[in-house]
Amino acid sequence: MRIGISAASKDLDALLDPRFGRCPYFLIVDTETKEFEVVDNPGNMAGGGAGIRAAQAFLQLGTKELVTGQAGPNAFEVLVEGGVKIYQAPQVKISEVIELYKNGDLKQITTPGGRGRGSR
Amino acid sequence: MRQLVVTSGKGGTGKTTVTASFVALAGGLVIADADVEAPNQHLLLHPQVIEKKDYEGAKIAVKDPDKCDQCGKCEEYCRFDAIQELEIDETRCEGCGVCVFVCPTGALRLEDDTTGVTMVSETEYGTFSHALLDIGAEGSGKLVTEVRKNAERLVQDEPLLLIDGSPGIGCPVIASLTGADLALIVTEPSVSGRHDLERIHGVTRHFGVKALVCINKWDLSQEMSEEIEKYCAKEDLCVVGKIPFDPEVLDTIKKGLPVKNLLKTKAGTAIINMWKKVEGHLFKEIINWRR
Amino acid sequence: MKLAVLSGKGGTGKTTVAVNLASSLAEKGEKVLFLDTDVEEPNAGLYLKPVLEESLPVTIPFPEIDQENCDYCGECANFCQFNALAVAEGVVLTFPELCHGCGGCVLVCPKEAIQEGKREIGVVEKGWADSIKFWQGRLNIGEPFAVPVTRYLKNGLADVQEDIVIIDAPAGVSCPVIEAVRDSDFALLVTEPTPFGRHDLELALKMVDHLGIPSGVVINRAGKNNDLISELCQERNVPILLEIEFSKLLASLGSIGVPFSRVLPQWQDRFWGMYQSLKEGCPCAS
């Protein structure tokens, strides 16, 4: 299974970044082989609407599973419309996030969290 | 780590002074001045700047006059009156890119525009994240986000991120408030103080941030103070502090003394008591997804 | 004459100066229009207590998608600098609160599937405070864009008959302030004799210089020693037009919403005198 994770830096030792919209990278990981690719999150640089920009970019990656800390209402709406399932994980290493995901320990988020910073 | 934002509906209520006193009281904190449009905290904290970065806060249309054939389409389509007599008015351009799109000769492009600087500084009390916006620069909401991001990056094991919030109810305020664990609204006993308290309370409620209230210079009008307290009781807002008017505060500030001297004043005693209550709310009651 | 009252920081007494000036001039028989452009915190009305007769909605456009004609190509979302649109599978989502209303998405859509609706972001209210014509703008809570409200408010100025327009500007030096102050004949900069006041006055001076508007300073809560401000004014060659000494009486009148010049006639004369001297100093006044 390929899953996307919001990450603070570019490898499996990186911490999960709890902010979906303004995380610097998405790590797209194959949960079986642990192979991964790193994608810059354009939302990180957005003046406003970071969550929307991030969600739009995430949809283009094709994976339907996302692990993050929190997605704001705007990002949430775009992701859900795009058929993405969102799981919540604590701020731990990406390698641990993968284990949590595989063991089914992650809770799916079904409601958006607090609005992101800088709603404009 | 908890995030406390000290904010106010209007300026000049003493938000910066309250924040500075908290700085002296908290021990172990990172400080952020999110009042990017009128940053004052640096005047009190005497920071040593250790990192300075240009802040590219906006996009702006730029014209190549050699390619322009003066057709005027840009002017016609710009909704912000930012192009007049074919010249771009930088104070009005919102960087939307419509002129770039409609220009038939490719004479226009969008460029990143430096609209301020962000700074990280050392102070006697902790690391300090702040910024300075250019005159009339847009996008202060994004800059607030940047200042907060710098501050969050600086937090190691400090239990508190203390944010001097932006006054008002617009974009920068929203950016400074949301994501906070707790907001302390500093108001003053006047008709406008009361009015603005209601508006900023509306914003905190809108964004689901728990708010406490401090009435500064409360004894300047006991009548208005009572009215504010009544409003707070009705709205279930906790008034955690009433600070008396104290000319010594101003003296301390005018002399440029360290902020811990603020605590020695009469007002300082009230602030110390208030801090204990705020600390209680901040570290006990808040349930938040962030760890 | 358009006279903007502003301050680099909030809480310096900008509104106090503006309302006292307006009511002093009105008492002396001048026809005054008062414009509260501090749309995030319109407070002047709390002092002037106008009767508001008209309320006009301020709207900005936002995109409405004709899902029938849309083929989800994503051009609109791609174009939008403000991320106010997103294209998911088989649907275009719009986020009106992020939309600046530039109209770009309508222009780029190859299927002509976007129209514009209107969204209310605030109101402009008009009325009278005794003989003072009074207009104010109010931004709805949670709305980030103040400038369109200010602009709408100032658009009405083209047709007014009043000789004196007093513009109570927002605090600070951001975009909405520039919009409020732009095209004024004179700027009255209100400050206080503290390091904060001085710092923010410097910013305000930079702004009015940038806009090419002549200015003068009012020191509010003045004390025995106002060197912090007077040195700066001397350096910049800006006149100090009025000093309002700190007194508990003035503060308490202010706190209950009474312009102090109404009960203390000597202040009426001082504001009148200030107006006369700034008129002389202002090249554009006739």
Side-chain angles (χ1 to χ4, degrees):
Chain A
M1 176 64 90
R2 284 174 82 238
I3 65 170
I5 304 170
S6 60
S9 53
K10 296 183 176 185
D11 55 52
L12 296 182
D13 284 334
L15 288 179
L16 173 136
D17 192 320
R19 305 162 307 174
F20 172 71
R22 292 209 180 267
C23 72
Y25 309 104
F26 299 128
L27 255 52
I28 309 299
V29 188
D30 186 314
T31 53
E32 298 312 311
T33 64
K34 303 273 167 64
E35 280 170 22
F36 65 95
E37 56 174 313
V38 182
V39 182
D40 289 339
N41 170 19
N44 186 33
M45 297 303 291
I52 298 166
R53 182 60 92 201
Q56 182 84 82
F58 191 84
L59 292 186
Q60 277 153 15
L61 299 175
T63 170
K64 298 290 184 192
E65 305 274 301
L66 164 68
V67 185
T68 187
Q70 183 97 340
N74 292 346
F76 188 84
E77 193 183 342
V78 177
L79 290 166
V80 169
E81 286 290 347
V84 174
K85 279 193 193 139
I86 311 163
Y87 298 89
Q88 188 170 36
Q91 203 173 342
V92 295
K93 281 185 185 173
I94 300 297
S95 49
E96 295 169 49
V97 174
I98 299 168
E99 290 313 309
L100 290 169
Y101 175 85
K102 281 170 70 176
N103 297 337
D105 288 337
L106 296 180
K107 203 173 81 209
Q108 193 178 340
I109 313 176
T110 51
T111 51
R115 186 178 282 256
R117 288 137 206 204
S119 63
R120 169 165 158 194
Chain B
M1 184 263 298
R2 297 291 195 208
Q3 295 194 11
L4 170 66
V5 178
V6 181
T7 188
S8 64
K10 71 188 280 285
T13 57
K15 173 177 66 65
T16 301
T17 312
V18 168
T19 310
S21 307
F22 281 3
V23 166
L25 281 165
L29 81 170
V30 170
I31 311 139
D33 193 350
D35 191 352
V36 293
E37 286 176 9
N40 278 161
Q41 203 56 251
H42 65 283
L43 299 173
L44 292 177
L45 297 180
H46 310 290
Q48 295 289 320
V49 178
I50 51 175
E51 192 185 303
K52 211 167 178 174
K53 221 172 85 190
D54 274 351
Y55 164 71
E56 287 177 348
K59 292 247 164 60
I60 193 158
V62 177
K63 189 173 87 165
D64 178 351
D66 294 340
K67 288 190 189 162
C68 173
D69 70 355
Q70 310 192 340
C71 70
K73 270 199 145 179
C74 49
E75 204 167 317
E76 182 190 329
Y77 279 90
C78 176
R79 295 225 176 134
F80 309 108
D81 300 328
I83 304 179
Q84 284 175 0
E85 286 159 28
L86 302 175
E87 289 303 319
I88 295 159
D89 180 345
E90 296 188 2
T91 64
R92 280 189 164 157
C93 176
E94 302 210 4
C96 69
V98 162
C99 58
V100 178
F101 180 76
V102 300
C103 177
T105 61
L108 289 153
R109 62 185 186 279
L110 280 186
E111 276 187 4
D112 283 329
D113 188 24
T114 301
T115 57
V117 284
T118 57
M119 287 166 280
V120 171
S121 300
E122 282 304 337
T123 74
E124 199 184 329
Y125 310 91
T127 325
F128 177 42
S129 166
H130 51 138
L132 196 57
L133 207 56
D134 293 346
I135 302 292
E138 262 246 54
S140 45
K142 185 186 175 190
L143 183 54
V144 168
T145 307
E146 202 75 21
V147 168
R148 293 191 59 141
K149 216 158 57 179
N150 275 343
E152 284 169 25
R153 176 170 62 86
L154 296 166
V155 172
Q156 288 167 350
D157 44 16
E158 293 86 350
L160 176 67
L161 170 55
L162 180 60
I163 300 163
D164 188 347
S166 202
I169 61 160
C171 174
V173 195
I174 296 167
S176 74
L177 264 181
T178 48
D181 297 296
L182 187 66
L184 176 69
I185 304 173
V186 181
T187 186
E188 57 179 23
S190 67
V191 280
S192 45
R194 188 212 140 112
H195 179 246
D196 294 326
L197 167 63
E198 285 177 31
R199 290 190 46 99
I200 185 79
H201 179 217
V203 177
T204 56
R205 204 170 31 207
H206 188 88
F207 292 101
V209 179
K210 185 183 159 66
L212 306 171
V213 173
C214 157
I215 309 176
N216 193 19
K217 306 175 215 160
W218 74 273
D219 49 347
L220 280 184
S221 169
Q222 307 209 357
E223 193 190 334
M224 281 310 303
S225 277
E226 266 169 44
E227 253 195 58
I228 288 174
E229 285 180 79
K230 261 187 230 154
Y231 167 80
C232 291
K234 196 182 87 213
E235 294 289 322
D236 212 11
L237 267 172
C238 182
V239 178
V240 285
K242 285 163 69 180
I243 306 171
F245 173 73
D246 182 355
E248 247 188 273
V249 170
L250 203 54
D251 278 348
T252 309
I253 291 170
K254 276 192 188 176
K255 287 183 192 138
L257 297 174
V259 294
K260 54 183 179 246
N261 289 49
L262 288 170
L263 304 175
K264 294 178 191 158
T265 63
K266 192 171 77 178
T269 313
I271 295 177
I272 292 170
N273 288 332
M274 174 167 73
W275 169 245
K276 287 182 195 140
K277 290 187 199 161
V278 171
E279 223 181 358
H281 282 276
L282 194 57
F283 292 102
K284 283 178 203 142
E285 278 185 24
I286 293 112
I287 303 153
N288 197 285
W289 61 271
R290 231 177 300 111
R291 339 193 132 217
Chain C
M1 174 174 200
K2 273 186 274 183
L3 189 60
V5 184
L6 62 145
S7 66
K9 79 185 278 281
T12 55
K14 168 181 60 62
T15 299
T16 304
V17 169
V19 298
N20 277 295
L21 178 61
S23 64
S24 301
L25 297 185
E27 282 297 323
K28 300 279 181 189
E30 296 282 347
K31 286 200 167 57
V32 178
L33 165 61
F34 191 98
L35 216 61
D36 191 348
T37 62
D38 191 357
V39 303
E40 286 186 44
E41 297 134 58
N43 280 339
L46 299 173
Y47 299 87
L48 293 176
K49 305 190 175 61
V51 178
L52 298 170
E53 292 160 352
E54 254 185 297
S55 175
L56 309 157
V58 180
T59 58
I60 57 172
F62 75 98
E64 284 176 340
I65 312 296
D66 175 357
Q67 306 276 358
E68 294 265 299
N69 287 334
C70 173
D71 66 357
Y72 314 106
C73 69
E75 289 280 331
C76 51
N78 207 14
F79 179 84
C80 181
Q81 291 291 332
F82 313 109
N83 301 316
L85 301 116
V87 181
E89 288 178 11
V91 64
V92 179
L93 301 166
T94 60
F95 299 91
E97 77 278 11
L98 294 173
C99 175
H100 288 225
C102 72
C105 52
V106 177
L107 292 172
V108 301
C109 178
K111 297 283 179 191
E112 294 183 13
I114 304 181
Q115 260 124 45
E116 287 183 290
K118 285 199 182 308
R119 192 169 72 82
E120 186 180 324
I121 59 163
V123 290
V124 161
E125 293 162 316
K126 297 185 174 182
W128 291 89
D130 298 322
S131 67
I132 301 170
K133 190 184 261 187
F134 184 94
W135 295 357
Q136 68 176 6
R138 213 148 37 79
L139 185 67
N140 291 344
I141 284 177
E143 286 294 344
F145 305 122
V147 171
V149 182
T150 313
R151 199 169 286 178
Y152 186 95
L153 198 54
K154 289 191 75 182
N155 276 346
L157 286 182
D159 318 312
V160 299
Q161 309 295 324
E162 279 68 17
D163 307 320
I164 304 170
V165 179
I166 293 176
I167 299 169
D168 186 6
V173 290
S174 64
C175 254
V177 186
I178 292 204
E179 202 54 43
V181 175
R182 193 191 288 282
D183 305 326
S184 297
D185 299 308
F186 195 86
L188 211 48
L189 310 176
V190 183
T191 187
E192 55 182 26
T194 66
F196 301 154
R198 183 192 157 106
H199 175 257
D200 296 332
L201 175 61
E202 286 189 84
L203 293 178
L205 279 168
K206 247 197 238 171
M207 181 181 71
V208 292
D209 282 352
H210 182 76
L211 294 171
I213 299 173
S215 61
V217 168
V218 176
I219 307 180
N220 192 24
R221 297 188 201 108
K224 289 189 201 85
N225 180 349
N226 304 312
D227 290 352
L228 268 173
I229 303 299
S230 46
E231 280 168 15
L232 177 68
C233 290
Q234 211 161 22
E235 220 171 89
R236 300 293 174 86
N237 204 14
V238 181
I240 294 172
L241 297 170
L242 185 67
E243 291 181 14
I244 303 172
E245 300 79 20
F246 177 79
S247 90
K248 278 207 164 181
L249 174 64
L250 297 192
S252 61
L253 284 169
S255 79
I256 54 169
V258 176
F260 54 77
S261 61
R262 290 215 179 138
V263 285
L264 305 168
Q266 71 271 29
W267 279 104
Q268 213 178 78
D269 295 332
R270 289 184 70 179
F271 277 102
W272 175 252
M274 174 181 78
Y275 174 66
Q276 296 306 325
S277 59
L278 76 82
K279 228 165 74 171
E280 275 161 34
C282 175
C284 17
S286 51

PDB file of all heavy atoms in Angstrom, chain B residues 3-7 19 30-34 148 161-165 176 180:
ATOM      1  N   GLN B   3       0.662  27.287  23.809  1.00  0.00           N
ATOM      2  CA  GLN B   3       0.742  28.580  23.156  1.00  0.00           C
ATOM      3  C   GLN B   3      -0.266  29.548  23.766  1.00  0.00           C
ATOM      4  O   GLN B   3      -1.461  29.285  23.747  1.00  0.00           O
ATOM      5  CB  GLN B   3       0.438  28.439  21.665  1.00  0.00           C
ATOM      6  CG  GLN B   3       1.471  27.615  20.923  1.00  0.00           C
ATOM      7  CD  GLN B   3       1.329  27.778  19.425  1.00  0.00           C
ATOM      8  OE1 GLN B   3       0.609  28.637  18.945  1.00  0.00           O
ATOM      9  NE2 GLN B   3       2.034  26.939  18.683  1.00  0.00           N
ATOM     10  N   LEU B   4       0.253  30.637  24.274  1.00  0.00           N
ATOM     11  CA  LEU B   4      -0.605  31.688  24.829  1.00  0.00           C
ATOM     12  C   LEU B   4      -0.490  32.933  23.962  1.00  0.00           C
ATOM     13  O   LEU B   4       0.614  33.405  23.689  1.00  0.00           O
ATOM     14  CB  LEU B   4      -0.174  32.013  26.262  1.00  0.00           C
ATOM     15  CG  LEU B   4      -0.802  33.260  26.910  1.00  0.00           C
ATOM     16  CD1 LEU B   4      -2.303  33.070  27.107  1.00  0.00           C
ATOM     17  CD2 LEU B   4      -0.132  33.561  28.250  1.00  0.00           C
ATOM     18  N   VAL B   5      -1.634  33.443  23.522  1.00  0.00           N
ATOM     19  CA  VAL B   5      -1.637  34.684  22.750  1.00  0.00           C
ATOM     20  C   VAL B   5      -2.228  35.790  23.602  1.00  0.00           C
ATOM     21  O   VAL B   5      -3.313  35.644  24.149  1.00  0.00           O
ATOM     22  CB  VAL B   5      -2.478  34.545  21.466  1.00  0.00           C
ATOM     23  CG1 VAL B   5      -2.496  35.863  20.704  1.00  0.00           C
ATOM     24  CG2 VAL B   5      -1.927  33.457  20.590  1.00  0.00           C
ATOM     25  N   VAL B   6      -1.493  36.875  23.734  1.00  0.00           N
ATOM     26  CA  VAL B   6      -2.033  38.046  24.416  1.00  0.00           C
ATOM     27  C   VAL B   6      -2.523  38.989  23.320  1.00  0.00           C
ATOM     28  O   VAL B   6      -1.763  39.364  22.434  1.00  0.00           O
ATOM     29  CB  VAL B   6      -0.974  38.736  25.288  1.00  0.00           C
ATOM     30  CG1 VAL B   6      -1.575  39.933  26.012  1.00  0.00           C
ATOM     31  CG2 VAL B   6      -0.399  37.748  26.299  1.00  0.00           C
ATOM     32  N   THR B   7      -3.800  39.316  23.379  1.00  0.00           N
ATOM     33  CA  THR B   7      -4.356  40.070  22.257  1.00  0.00           C
ATOM     34  C   THR B   7      -5.304  41.146  22.764  1.00  0.00           C
ATOM     35  O   THR B   7      -5.575  41.244  23.953  1.00  0.00           O
ATOM     36  CB  THR B   7      -5.063  39.101  21.273  1.00  0.00           C
ATOM     37  OG1 THR B   7      -5.431  39.814  20.109  1.00  0.00           O
ATOM     38  CG2 THR B   7      -6.301  38.483  21.900  1.00  0.00           C
ATOM     39  N   THR B  19       2.340  41.491  28.069  1.00  0.00           N
ATOM     40  CA  THR B  19       3.151  40.410  27.507  1.00  0.00           C
ATOM     41  C   THR B  19       4.572  40.464  28.063  1.00  0.00           C
ATOM     42  O   THR B  19       5.125  39.438  28.478  1.00  0.00           O
ATOM     43  CB  THR B  19       3.202  40.512  25.963  1.00  0.00           C
ATOM     44  OG1 THR B  19       1.876  40.642  25.469  1.00  0.00           O
ATOM     45  CG2 THR B  19       3.842  39.282  25.352  1.00  0.00           C
ATOM     46  N   VAL B  30       9.664  30.726  24.713  1.00  0.00           N
ATOM     47  CA  VAL B  30      10.017  31.364  23.458  1.00  0.00           C
ATOM     48  C   VAL B  30       8.986  32.469  23.255  1.00  0.00           C
ATOM     49  O   VAL B  30       7.813  32.293  23.589  1.00  0.00           O
ATOM     50  CB  VAL B  30      10.003  30.355  22.298  1.00  0.00           C
ATOM     51  CG1 VAL B  30      10.124  31.060  20.955  1.00  0.00           C
ATOM     52  CG2 VAL B  30      11.138  29.349  22.468  1.00  0.00           C
ATOM     53  N   ILE B  31       9.447  33.605  22.747  1.00  0.00           N
ATOM     54  CA  ILE B  31       8.567  34.763  22.615  1.00  0.00           C
ATOM     55  C   ILE B  31       8.394  35.081  21.136  1.00  0.00           C
ATOM     56  O   ILE B  31       9.350  34.994  20.362  1.00  0.00           O
ATOM     57  CB  ILE B  31       9.192  35.988  23.314  1.00  0.00           C
ATOM     58  CG1 ILE B  31       9.656  35.619  24.727  1.00  0.00           C
ATOM     59  CG2 ILE B  31       8.220  37.154  23.373  1.00  0.00           C
ATOM     60  CD1 ILE B  31      10.981  36.214  25.114  1.00  0.00           C
ATOM     61  N   ALA B  32       7.179  35.447  20.761  1.00  0.00           N
ATOM     62  CA  ALA B  32       6.952  35.875  19.384  1.00  0.00           C
ATOM     63  C   ALA B  32       6.169  37.176  19.392  1.00  0.00           C
ATOM     64  O   ALA B  32       5.196  37.304  20.136  1.00  0.00           O
ATOM     65  CB  ALA B  32       6.184  34.801  18.610  1.00  0.00           C
ATOM     66  N   ASP B  33       6.592  38.131  18.586  1.00  0.00           N
ATOM     67  CA  ASP B  33       5.816  39.352  18.434  1.00  0.00           C
ATOM     68  C   ASP B  33       5.034  39.255  17.133  1.00  0.00           C
ATOM     69  O   ASP B  33       5.568  39.475  16.048  1.00  0.00           O
ATOM     70  CB  ASP B  33       6.722  40.585  18.425  1.00  0.00           C
ATOM     71  CG  ASP B  33       5.921  41.879  18.582  1.00  0.00           C
ATOM     72  OD1 ASP B  33       4.670  41.813  18.504  1.00  0.00           O
ATOM     73  OD2 ASP B  33       6.529  42.935  18.801  1.00  0.00           O
ATOM     74  N   ALA B  34       3.761  38.882  17.267  1.00  0.00           N
ATOM     75  CA  ALA B  34       2.921  38.707  16.083  1.00  0.00           C
ATOM     76  C   ALA B  34       2.195  39.996  15.728  1.00  0.00           C
ATOM     77  O   ALA B  34       1.405  40.031  14.805  1.00  0.00           O
ATOM     78  CB  ALA B  34       1.923  37.578  16.307  1.00  0.00           C
ATOM     79  N   ARG B 148       5.348  32.962  13.618  1.00  0.00           N
ATOM     80  CA  ARG B 148       4.956  31.838  14.470  1.00  0.00           C
ATOM     81  C   ARG B 148       5.762  30.593  14.116  1.00  0.00           C
ATOM     82  O   ARG B 148       6.150  29.835  14.990  1.00  0.00           O
ATOM     83  CB  ARG B 148       3.473  31.549  14.308  1.00  0.00           C
ATOM     84  CG  ARG B 148       2.602  32.649  14.832  1.00  0.00           C
ATOM     85  CD  ARG B 148       1.182  32.197  14.878  1.00  0.00           C
ATOM     86  NE  ARG B 148       1.077  31.029  15.743  1.00  0.00           N
ATOM     87  CZ  ARG B 148       0.086  30.808  16.563  1.00  0.00           C
ATOM     88  NH1 ARG B 148      -0.894  31.650  16.634  1.00  0.00           N
ATOM     89  NH2 ARG B 148       0.066  29.723  17.297  1.00  0.00           N
ATOM     90  N   LEU B 161       5.097  28.970  24.560  1.00  0.00           N
ATOM     91  CA  LEU B 161       5.319  29.931  23.493  1.00  0.00           C
ATOM     92  C   LEU B 161       4.369  31.095  23.754  1.00  0.00           C
ATOM     93  O   LEU B 161       3.151  30.923  23.748  1.00  0.00           O
ATOM     94  CB  LEU B 161       5.045  29.293  22.131  1.00  0.00           C
ATOM     95  CG  LEU B 161       5.013  30.232  20.918  1.00  0.00           C
ATOM     96  CD1 LEU B 161       6.279  31.059  20.798  1.00  0.00           C
ATOM     97  CD2 LEU B 161       4.817  29.428  19.638  1.00  0.00           C
ATOM     98  N   LEU B 162       4.942  32.258  24.032  1.00  0.00           N
ATOM     99  CA  LEU B 162       4.147  33.437  24.368  1.00  0.00           C
ATOM    100  C   LEU B 162       4.103  34.371  23.168  1.00  0.00           C
ATOM    101  O   LEU B 162       5.144  34.775  22.652  1.00  0.00           O
ATOM    102  CB  LEU B 162       4.770  34.152  25.570  1.00  0.00           C
ATOM    103  CG  LEU B 162       4.068  35.417  26.063  1.00  0.00           C
ATOM    104  CD1 LEU B 162       2.649  35.131  26.494  1.00  0.00           C
ATOM    105  CD2 LEU B 162       4.857  36.040  27.211  1.00  0.00           C
ATOM    106  N   ILE B 163       2.894  34.671  22.734  1.00  0.00           N
ATOM    107  CA  ILE B 163       2.745  35.453  21.514  1.00  0.00           C
ATOM    108  C   ILE B 163       2.079  36.790  21.813  1.00  0.00           C
ATOM    109  O   ILE B 163       0.994  36.839  22.387  1.00  0.00           O
ATOM    110  CB  ILE B 163       1.905  34.669  20.478  1.00  0.00           C
ATOM    111  CG1 ILE B 163       2.597  33.344  20.146  1.00  0.00           C
ATOM    112  CG2 ILE B 163       1.691  35.495  19.216  1.00  0.00           C
ATOM    113  CD1 ILE B 163       1.705  32.339  19.477  1.00  0.00           C
ATOM    114  N   ASP B 164       2.751  37.861  21.445  1.00  0.00           N
ATOM    115  CA  ASP B 164       2.157  39.185  21.510  1.00  0.00           C
ATOM    116  C   ASP B 164       1.316  39.299  20.244  1.00  0.00           C
ATOM    117  O   ASP B 164       1.841  39.408  19.141  1.00  0.00           O
ATOM    118  CB  ASP B 164       3.273  40.246  21.540  1.00  0.00           C
ATOM    119  CG  ASP B 164       2.745  41.650  21.807  1.00  0.00           C
ATOM    120  OD1 ASP B 164       1.519  41.861  21.725  1.00  0.00           O
ATOM    121  OD2 ASP B 164       3.564  42.535  22.094  1.00  0.00           O
ATOM    122  N   GLY B 165       0.022  39.210  20.400  1.00  0.00           N
ATOM    123  CA  GLY B 165      -0.849  39.100  19.227  1.00  0.00           C
ATOM    124  C   GLY B 165      -1.096  40.442  18.578  1.00  0.00           C
ATOM    125  O   GLY B 165      -0.790  41.499  19.112  1.00  0.00           O
ATOM    126  N   SER B 176      -2.771  35.185  14.073  1.00  0.00           N
ATOM    127  CA  SER B 176      -2.047  35.106  15.342  1.00  0.00           C
ATOM    128  C   SER B 176      -2.813  34.278  16.365  1.00  0.00           C
ATOM    129  O   SER B 176      -2.246  33.681  17.255  1.00  0.00           O
ATOM    130  CB  SER B 176      -1.710  36.504  15.877  1.00  0.00           C
ATOM    131  OG  SER B 176      -2.843  37.150  16.386  1.00  0.00           O
ATOM    132  N   ALA B 180      -3.681  28.671  18.755  1.00  0.00           N
ATOM    133  CA  ALA B 180      -3.285  28.953  20.130  1.00  0.00           C
ATOM    134  C   ALA B 180      -4.102  28.092  21.089  1.00  0.00           C
ATOM    135  O   ALA B 180      -5.219  27.696  20.794  1.00  0.00           O
ATOM    136  CB  ALA B 180      -3.504  30.426  20.441  1.00  0.00           C
TER     137      ALA B 180
END
